[in-house]
Amino acid sequence: MSEEKSLNFIEEIVENDLNSGKYETLVTRFPPEPNGYLHIGHAKAICLNFGLTQKYGGYTNLRFDDTNPVTEKTEYVNSQQEDIRWLGFNWKNELYASDYFDELYGFAVKLIEKGLAYVDESSADEIAALKGTPTEPGQDSPYRNRSIEENLDIFTKMKNGEFPDGAYILRAKIDMASPNMLMRDPIIYRIKHAEHHRTGNKWCIYPMYDFAHGQSDSIEHITHSICTLEYVSHRELYDWFIEKLEIFPSKQYEFARLNLTSTVMSKRKLLQLVNENLVNGWDDPRMPTISGLRRRGFTPKSIREFCERIGIAKRENLIELSLLEFCIREDLNKTANRVMAVLDPIKLVITNYEKGTEDLTGENNPEAEDGGGTRVIPFCNELWIEREDFMEVPAKKWFRLAPGAMVRLKFAYIVKCEDFVKDENGNVTEIHCTYIPESKSGSDTSGINVKGTIHWVSAPHAKTAEIRLYDRLFVSETPDAEEGDFKDYLNPESLMVLPNAYIEPALADADLDGRYQFIRKGYFCLDKDSTADKLVFNRTVTLKDTFKKPN
C-alpha cells in the first residue's frame, strides 16, 4: 500500500478552514501584471492556486493587476492567458483590477472621509527624507493634517485631471513610527496621464499595488490570497485596508518563490534581454518563459511535475535547473518517438550492397505504454552518418567505425570499413564499407557480435533540416548574485545552429505538437520558423545532463 503524500503548509491551512466551516467554498486567484510574459516561477504559482481548487473544489479567478498603464499591453494579457490554458488550467472568471477602478476610488474617498488618508504634495525626495529608517521613526508630512474637506477637494481635482503627473499623491494615514516601513503612510494613489490598455483615458489617477490588491481580493471574496515571501511585510497593510474599509476579510498567505540555477526571473531583466536583442524575443527557447519552454519542446505535464517535485515551502532555496530537465526527460522518454537524424554528416557508401532500396522496420518508442508501434525506414547503399562516428586512427576502446572495424547500423546491418576518401585539405569526405547480408536486425544469422551501434539516414531519401542546439542561457548558476552586470554571465554557447543536417523522411510530416528523440542525440521538436522548404528543429534537452560548469 502506497504511503499517502503529506500536505504542504498551505493545504493544511485550507483543509482546516474548510473542515472548521470558516469557508464553504475555496476561492483563489492568480493575479499577474500584464507587463511581460509569464515564466517558470509563475508556473509554480499557477499550479498552486489552480491545483488547490482542483483538489478541494471551489474555483480560481484570473485577475490581471493592470494598475500601471505605462508598462502594460494587451499582447501580454493574451500571452498569459495562452500560457495558463497550455499548462492545463481554466479560470472561472476573467477579471481585471481596472474593473474595480470606480470602486477603488470610492474606497479611497471613504478613507479620506474617515480621516485615514490625505493628499500630499511633497516631492519624492522630501517623502523619502521623512520616511525614517528601520531603526528610526519617520516624521509627519507637513500636509498630514489637511482637513477632510480640503483632501476631498484636491483628490477630486486629481481625478478630474487638473494637475500634472507628480503634483500630488494620496497617502494612507497610519503610523510614521511603525517598525514596518510599509505602514509609514504609504502612497495609495498617484497621477499618471497615460492611456490604459482597457480604460483608455478615462482615468489619470491610478491606485498603487498595495491599495488595489487586497481590495480586489475582497471584492471577489477570495478566501486564500497566496503570494510569494517578498510580500510578507505587505500583509499588515493588506489587513489594515480591509479592516478600515470594513469589507470581506480575505487573508494573505506567503510561500517561497522559485529560484532556479543559471536563470534570471526578474521581468525587468528578461525585458532587457529582449529589448537589447540578446535573445530572439520573449519565446526564445533559452528564456525561462512558459512560451519559451513550450517552443523549446517542454510539455505541460513536465512543468506540472517539476512544480510538484519542488513543493511549497516557507523558506527560500535554489532549485537546480537539472531537475526541470530531468522532468522533461522522464516525460519524453515515454512519449517521444525515436527517429534518426544526422547532425554533422559524412557519406558512407556500402560497396557490395546491390538491392537498390530496401524498406526496414524501426521501433517508434519501446518505452511507450502501448508498445509504440513501428515505421518504415528506407535503406540503400548510400547513407549519411555522424562524422564523430568515424575515427581514422581509433582510440583505445573505440567501438565505432574505423579502418577494418565493424559496427551495426541501427535497425539494419553490420558493416565493415574498408577504406575512406580525403579531400585536398586532409578531411575525410567519404567512407567505404561492405555489409554482412546475414546480419539484418531482427533476423541476424551471421554469428558476428559487434559492440557499437550507430544511427544513419538514407542519402537519397533524407530531408535537410536546420538544427538549433540550445543550452543554458547563463554560465553562472547565480547570475543575479554575481558582481557587475548579470548580462556579463551570458553563455556564448547557449545556441549553436547546424544548417545542413539530414533527417529520415518520416520527419517531413512533423508538426509543432510532436516530440521526438533523435537517437543518440537528444529530444527535439519542430520550431515555428519551419517552412515547407526548410524544417527547423529545436533541441529540448540532451539525453543526459551534459552541462559543464565553469571552473
Side-chain angles (χ1 to χ4, degrees), residues 51-72:
L52 284 170
T53 49
Q54 283 186 349
K55 181 173 182 177
Y56 295 106
Y59 60 89
T60 300
N61 288 340
L62 171 61
R63 182 179 73 240
F64 293 99
D65 175 33
D66 57 344
T67 58
N68 187 355
V70 175
T71 60
E72 295 158 0

Side-chain angles (χ1 to χ4, degrees), residues 227-245:
C227 55
T228 45
L229 284 177
E230 61 261 40
Y231 292 99
V232 168
S233 58
H234 295 247
R235 191 196 319 145
E236 185 179 1
L237 183 55
Y238 182 103
D239 293 339
W240 187 88
F241 283 131
I242 285 176
E243 176 193 345
K244 300 306 180 185
L245 292 167

Side-chain angles (χ1 to χ4, degrees), residues 22-42:
K22 183 176 181 179
Y23 304 110
E24 288 186 6
T25 304
L26 172 64
V27 186
T28 66
R29 85 290 170 269
F30 177 63
E33 183 179 358
N35 64 348
Y37 281 57
L38 299 179
H39 54 60
I40 186 68
H42 294 111

